[in-house]
Every structure is written in structure tokens, then in C-alpha cells.
Amino acid sequence: MASPTRSALMLLRILLVSAAISAQAQGTVTLRGVAWDSVAVRPLAGAFITLGASRSTTADASGRFSFDSVTPGVHRLDMVHAVLDSMGLPGVARQVRVTDGAERVAISIPSFAILWRAVCGDRPAPAESAFVYGTVRSSSGGAELAGARVELQWSDFGLDGTRKITGKRFLVEIDADARGEYAVCGVPRDAGLRVQAKFDVVASGLIDLGPTMLRVIRRDLLVGPVDTIAGGPRGTIAGIVTDSAGRPFPGATIVLDDVQLMRTEADGRFRLPNVLPGTRQIEIIAIGVRPQLHIVDVLAGGEVNVSATMQRVTTLDVVRITGSRWQQRVVRDIEDRRRQGLGKFVDSLRLARLATLTSAFGSFPSLDVRSAKGGGVTLMFPDGRGGKCNAIIYIDGFKSNQLMLSTLLPQDIAVIESYNRGSLIPMEFTSLSHRCGVIAIWTKRVMP
């Protein structure tokens, strides 16, 4: 699962593949081809293909593309795609010998087996596994940090033979090599991966890679100061949020590193000053649209610009929705917790009859619901010492805060779970810092 002996950057050395096709031809012909993703084993729809230095086209939904009026001979094809960007690969190139145009050529992303061997060595790849790799650099000057500590974490939950929920938290720690490169091989594809780099007294943010069907994930990390009180130059994250028609999207919630929150202005713009340098993440959330996660590299004294287009969630017949593997696990785990009887649950059928979230929270035992400034609510549980403590909030599996509750309406929520004291809190919602009860909210964004 841990350190490979080969350089992660060997990936970039396997992308120029040559092939020849022989036949006889006269004059110009049509070059027909297909773009292929050998990792996912499917056509690469939307791939941008260039022929030589001046001609280009885009592959259709079946990965097919063509160029007419091509002179027979040797030509170079280049391909770029967002999937390649996610893998950290600049593109794929190959040379083809064009003859009579009768044969279809293929340009493809190398197979997972090839990429695995380049980064992880000769040991077999576990079934349904992935690998994460990248380079750790300093946010001050960009120097590669040999020996930087990279932590990759995820959780796995299930039932034992007695139908009790069991959970394991996995933490892989690995040191970057002399060039600041790291790789973690054999991680699960459907887990919510989080990665962070540390070096002496500097670190990156805790970055969500999320459950992904990609088997090759590149995440470079910049580390910077972590002391929010100390002085020193900071950076800025600015951006604009629009809807699918290009109109400004006011009121979207911007979350920085799970801590700092603000909303977009009437013109859809936002500005986060005094951001600690390093790799940071912002999440953009609003009711009725798909949340967006943006990972940015912040430099001291610099400004990073983010542009986001919010897409409305299309509601489909629930009978037809099967959901992703991660969604199916969410549903299964909720049902397992419900059967354990440790908490209280309110589902969407009941929520649909309520006008406000306050009404929903009021039905949970021991939960004190109070109005908060600017709207919304504050949720408090008994602290076991005769007082009250602020409930720990999880939204869609991630630790959140009570301010985020103001962005939700009853019709946006699929399930609410309540655990009113520490001894009842399931493992997936516990941490050493939890000293109060937990409210877990699952929205219809993630529930099939």
C-alpha cells in the first residue's frame, strides 16, 4: 500500500507511442480514428485531437474522430482531455502512417497495468484499487521538499457476524523522496480519500479527493504556514459564481478549509483575503445545485482566481436511480445504524410535511433548538455536567458547522440522524475532539 521504488514522473515517459499502418494509396484520404481510455476501458468522449500543428477536432460520444484531405505519409496525433489532467498527464501522442484511409487508428490513454508498473513497481495491483501520486513543494519559492510527510486517510465500515457496525480508519504515512515525489498505491476506489502534506512547521490544507472512479490520481501539494495568529504575508482567493446561463449566482456559500465561510455577493463574486499560503480547498454550496470543490495553490502575496458554474440538480424517479457505489454505501450504512437503534432518525417523508428545519430538530430528544442571528438555528445537547454544548454537525458525511444549516431547507434533506450523547455516537462520526452529541444530515445531493 505504501512507497514505490520508481519515480512517479515515469508516467510522463510512456506517453509517446508509435504505430504504423501499411497499405497503398494515392492522393489525399480521410483519417478516421477513435480516442480510448484504457484505464476505464471505454471510449474517451470529448477528447481534443490535433493533427500536426494546425488541424484539430473533438471526439464524439463514441470517441470517434476524423480528418479529411490528409496526405498519405507519417503524421503525429496529439490528444488532451480532462481525465488526463486528473491523472497528471499532459497528453498522449502517437505517430501514424496514413495510407489509403481504410483502417481506423486508435489513440489511447495507457492501461492501468502500465501506469501501475511505472509508479508502483512489479507487484500486482489489488482488485478495484487505485493509486495517488504527486510532488510536495514549498509555497515559498516552489522548492521540492525531500522527506516531506504525506498522509492519506480514509474510512471503511461494515457489519460483523453479530450484525454490529464495525469501522476501520486507515492512515497511510509516507515520506517524499529526494525529488519531493510521493505515491500511495493500492487505495480503494470508492473511499472518501483525504490527503495532507507536512514538513517541519508547515503543511498543506487537508484536501478531499473524494470517492472517485479514477484509478490514477495526481495531487501535487504546496505546504505553507499553519499558524493563523503569526504574521507573515498571506494570499487571496477571489472568484465568480454563475448559473448555467452565465448569470451571477448570489448567496452561494463559500467554505474554505472547512472553517471559513462567506457568501457570494449580488454580482456572484466573492473574495477571501488573508488565506494562509499552500494548497487549500474551497467548496461552493447552494440549495438545489450540485456542490463544487475547487483545490487551489495559494502563494504569499498572490491572488488565485476561481470560476464556478452551478448546475441545477435534476430530480429523477427514485425507482430508476441506483446511485454510485459510494451512494449505495451511504444508504447501506444509514440503514445499519438505524437497525442498531442508537440514534433517532427523521426521513424525507416526514420532512416534506414540515415548513422549517426547526420543526424537524424539535422532534429529537434532549436537543435544544435556539434561533441564531441572521436566521437559522443553534443546536445544543446536554454536556453531561448540567450545561449545554453545541452539537457536532455532519453534512453528507463531512464535518461541518451550524452556520451551514442556514443553507438547507426541509425539502433538500433525505435523512437526519441524531445521537444525543457521546456513548451512542457511531464510529464514523467520532473523534477525540467530540465532547457533545452529533447531528448527521444527508441531503438529496448524495442520496439516490
Side-chain angles (χ1 to χ4, degrees):
M1 175 120 25
S3 174
T5 57
R6 303 185 184 184
S7 166
L9 293 183
M10 286 183 64
L11 283 173
L12 305 182
R13 302 171 190 164
I14 64 176
L15 296 180
L16 187 58
V17 182
S18 298
I21 299 173
S22 59
Q24 300 294 322
Q26 299 293 328
T28 62
V29 298
T30 298
L31 170 63
R32 295 178 176 86
V34 61
W36 187 258
D37 182 349
S38 299
V39 176
V41 194
R42 64 186 179 192
L44 196 59
F48 185 74
I49 313 293
T50 58
L51 174 66
S54 59
R55 301 185 64 183
S56 63
T57 189
T58 301
D60 64 17
S62 299
R64 296 181 179 181
F65 64 91
S66 65
F67 293 96
D68 58 14
S69 304
V70 177
T71 302
V74 177
H75 295 268
R76 173 174 168 138
L77 291 175
D78 289 88
M79 177 175 72
V80 294
H81 193 275
V83 169
L84 286 162
D85 291 340
S86 299
M87 293 180 177
L89 305 178
V92 174
R94 73 169 289 185
Q95 288 181 335
V96 295
R97 182 175 297 278
V98 179
T99 56
D100 61 359
E103 296 190 52
R104 189 180 299 274
V105 301
I107 182 168
S108 62
I109 297 174
S111 70
F112 180 70
I114 292 174
L115 300 177
W116 173 276
R117 284 195 298 271
V119 172
C120 303
D122 293 330
R123 64 188 178 93
E128 295 301 309
S129 67
F131 66 83
V132 180
Y133 78 108
T135 303
V136 183
R137 294 184 171 86
S138 169
S139 62
S140 176
E144 298 167 346
L145 297 179
R149 175 59 55 91
V150 178
E151 299 177 353
L152 189 74
Q153 56 183 278
W154 68 93
S155 297
D156 188 27
F157 303 97
L159 294 178
D160 62 17
T162 63
R163 303 294 295 173
K164 290 184 178 179
I165 296 175
T166 61
K168 293 182 179 180
R169 284 191 172 87
F170 295 89
L171 174 64
V172 175
E173 297 179 312
I174 187 171
D175 292 334
D177 65 16
R179 290 171 292 193
E181 298 174 10
Y182 76 93
V184 182
C185 299
V187 300
R189 297 174 64 184
D190 58 350
L193 303 175
R194 309 189 88 182
V195 66
Q196 184 175 32
K198 301 177 181 179
F199 187 79
D200 292 333
V201 296
V202 295
S204 71
L206 186 59
I207 305 302
D208 288 302
L209 303 179
T212 176
M213 297 312 292
L214 292 177
R215 302 190 70 183
V216 180
I217 308 166
R218 177 159 192 152
R219 174 44 55 198
D220 296 328
L221 297 165
L222 289 183
V223 297
V226 296
D227 189 346
T228 59
I229 300 177
R234 305 287 183 92
T236 299
I237 302 175
I240 182 168
V241 181
T242 59
D243 63 17
S244 57
R247 296 182 295 261
F249 197 111
T253 300
I254 312 296
V255 186
L256 170 65
D257 285 344
D258 293 335
V259 177
Q260 186 176 346
L261 289 94
M262 70 174 305
R263 293 182 183 274
T264 54
E265 302 292 341
D267 59 0
R269 298 185 181 274
F270 67 91
R271 187 177 182 83
L272 293 166
N274 300 317
V275 179
L276 290 172
T279 301
R280 310 292 172 193
Q281 72 176 23
I282 62 169
E283 188 172 9
I284 306 173
I285 303 172
I287 297 303
V289 298
R290 301 185 185 281
Q292 291 198 24
L293 190 70
H294 292 261
I295 300 172
V296 295
D297 291 329
V298 180
L299 300 178
E303 180 171 305
V304 181
N305 291 296
V306 174
S307 177
T309 301
M310 309 302 283
Q311 300 290 337
R312 292 287 175 184
V313 176
T314 302
T315 302
L316 301 177
D317 186 334
V318 295
V319 176
R320 298 176 58 194
I321 298 178
T322 58
S324 68
R325 184 177 308 178
W326 181 69
Q327 288 175 313
Q328 293 171 19
R329 174 173 288 186
V330 167
V331 173
R332 184 176 66 248
D333 290 345
I334 290 174
E335 291 306 312
D336 289 341
R337 292 192 293 271
R338 192 195 300 265
R339 284 193 290 268
Q340 291 295 308
L342 300 178
K344 301 297 182 181
F345 293 75
V346 171
D347 60 25
S348 58
L349 293 178
R350 183 172 180 182
L351 289 167
R353 299 193 294 266
L354 302 175
T356 64
L357 277 184
T358 303
S359 303
F361 292 131
S363 65
F364 291 119
S366 306
L367 183 61
D368 185 1
V369 184
R370 304 179 182 181
S371 298
K373 291 182 179 180
V377 295
T378 297
L379 307 178
M380 306 187 77
F381 281 116
D383 62 7
R385 299 187 297 271
K388 299 283 187 179
C389 56
N390 288 328
I392 306 299
I393 307 297
Y394 282 84
I395 298 179
D396 291 340
F398 291 97
K399 190 176 179 182
S400 187
N401 54 54
Q402 307 222 19
L403 181 59
M404 289 298 297
L405 295 178
S406 63
T407 68
L408 299 176
L409 297 173
Q411 57 265 35
D412 303 313
I413 299 174
V415 177
I416 302 176
E417 305 176 52
S418 173
Y419 304 92
N420 60 13
R421 60 180 185 272
S423 61
L424 300 178
I425 299 175
M427 182 178 296
E428 52 266 56
F429 300 130
T430 60
S431 77
L432 295 177
S433 62
H434 288 186
R435 297 183 176 86
C436 199
V438 164
I439 294 291
I441 298 172
W442 300 94
T443 71
K444 294 176 181 178
R445 292 191 296 258
V446 302
M447 292 287 288

